Amino acid sequence: AQSVAQPEDQVNVAEGNPLTVKCTYSVSGNPYLFWYVQYPNRGLQFLLKYITGDNLVKGSYGFEAEFNKSQTSFHLKKPSALVSDSALYFCAVRVNTGGFKTIFGAGTRLFVKA
Amino acid sequence: DAGVIQSPRHEVTEMGQEVTLRCKPISGHNSLFWYRQTMMRGLELLIYFNNNVPIDDSGMPEDRFSAKMPNASFSTLKIQPSEPRDSAVYFCASSSIAGGPVNEQFFGPGTRLTVL
């Protein structure tokens, strides 16, 4: 079955420290991977995506993600966390079901402490 | 661009009543998605359309739920009759299908539904 896993319900990090939010996937064929962020009482917002090419993808707000095919992972990273980065983060993969639907992970809540 | 527009933003209704949620996708987008988000079940895809045609409705929980997309700029999600367990935030999202699966989705602000 095609799926996305976010093994951590919550990640806590101090402001200024690097952060990592983990994601692993299981798909047949080429993976099309995405990260979204959700702030309280808002819809999801796109952060970045991996389609092909360079394994390190840069996105909005200083976030980046590294695609690792052998480990089937797509971890989200940021070198220096901000308090304003506190939010719910979703990893997602687009799969071919006749059209292309998106499978979202369960989400990881990031808390950045001042 | 105004982004994806959803209405109403909040809906409180009583069990057994009909509820209709509305969505206007971003102009030019030809793929539309309806999601439901709850604490217990996370973000669930209910149904999606390509070029106004339903492609996958396997996530629609039961026959009480129905969705339509009569044209490229409007979609509805209807629950009839509503039940307390339908209480959730319902999101609409749109994207372009040009180029296949490479495009991100743009989400609306959501409709918070409470069924008493």
Side-chain angles (χ1 to χ4, degrees):
Chain A
Q2 307 193 86
S3 63
V4 171
Q6 294 182 242
E8 303 155 315
D9 291 336
Q10 183 172 311
V11 170
N12 298 311
V13 65
E15 188 174 35
N17 284 0
L19 69 87
T20 298
V21 182
K22 296 180 181 177
C23 172
T24 59
Y25 64 90
S26 174
V27 300
S28 53
N30 293 323
Y32 303 100
L33 298 159
F34 299 77
W35 276 101
Y36 291 81
V37 60
Q38 185 180 27
Y39 298 102
N41 301 313
R42 302 285 294 277
L44 280 68
Q45 297 176 35
F46 167 75
L47 274 180
L48 50 79
K49 63 185 175 184
Y50 172 82
I51 304 302
T52 187
D54 194 346
N55 289 342
L56 185 63
V57 179
K58 294 188 183 298
S60 307
Y61 311 121
F63 283 92
E64 57 190 29
E66 186 169 10
F67 171 66
N68 188 316
K69 187 173 183 178
S70 62
Q71 297 185 4
T72 61
S73 66
F74 189 54
H75 300 333
L76 181 69
K77 300 181 180 183
K78 187 173 182 181
S80 179
L82 300 173
V83 172
S84 57
D85 292 331
S86 298
L88 186 58
Y89 290 81
F90 290 93
C91 183
V93 62
R94 293 204 80 174
V95 297
N96 191 342
T97 59
F100 283 99
K101 76 175 185 181
T102 302
I103 298 175
F104 283 88
T108 297
R109 192 164 296 280
L110 173 67
F111 286 102
V112 181
K113 282 202 309 186
Chain B
D1 196 327
V4 176
I5 299 172
Q6 291 187 247
S7 65
R9 293 294 310 277
H10 301 272
E11 177 81 30
V12 180
T13 190
E14 292 187 347
M15 181 174 62
Q17 296 298 306
E18 176 182 303
V19 174
T20 299
L21 311 182
R22 298 172 177 81
C23 175
K24 177 179 170 54
I26 290 173
S27 177
H29 282 183
N30 44 15
S31 195
L32 183 140
F33 306 79
W34 282 101
Y35 293 91
R36 178 172 69 176
Q37 187 177 35
T38 61
M39 289 292 292
M40 290 296 294
R41 300 174 68 93
L43 191 66
E44 303 172 274
L45 175 67
L46 300 177
I47 185 172
Y48 77 99
F49 297 82
N50 283 349
N51 294 316
N52 312 337
V53 176
I55 302 299
D56 186 342
D57 65 354
S58 60
M60 296 286 262
E62 46 197 277
D63 292 346
R64 298 184 296 106
F65 285 69
S66 62
K68 294 182 179 179
M69 192 164 186
N71 58 60
S73 59
F74 183 66
S75 177
T76 59
L77 178 67
K78 183 179 292 186
I79 308 172
Q80 180 184 23
S82 59
E83 296 182 4
R85 60 191 168 126
D86 301 330
S87 298
V89 181
Y90 291 81
F91 289 104
C92 176
S94 70
S95 72
S96 170
I97 58 174
V102 303
N103 300 307
E104 62 271 23
Q105 295 176 28
F106 293 80
F107 282 73
T111 295
R112 183 173 296 275
L113 174 65
T114 302
V115 184
L116 304 174

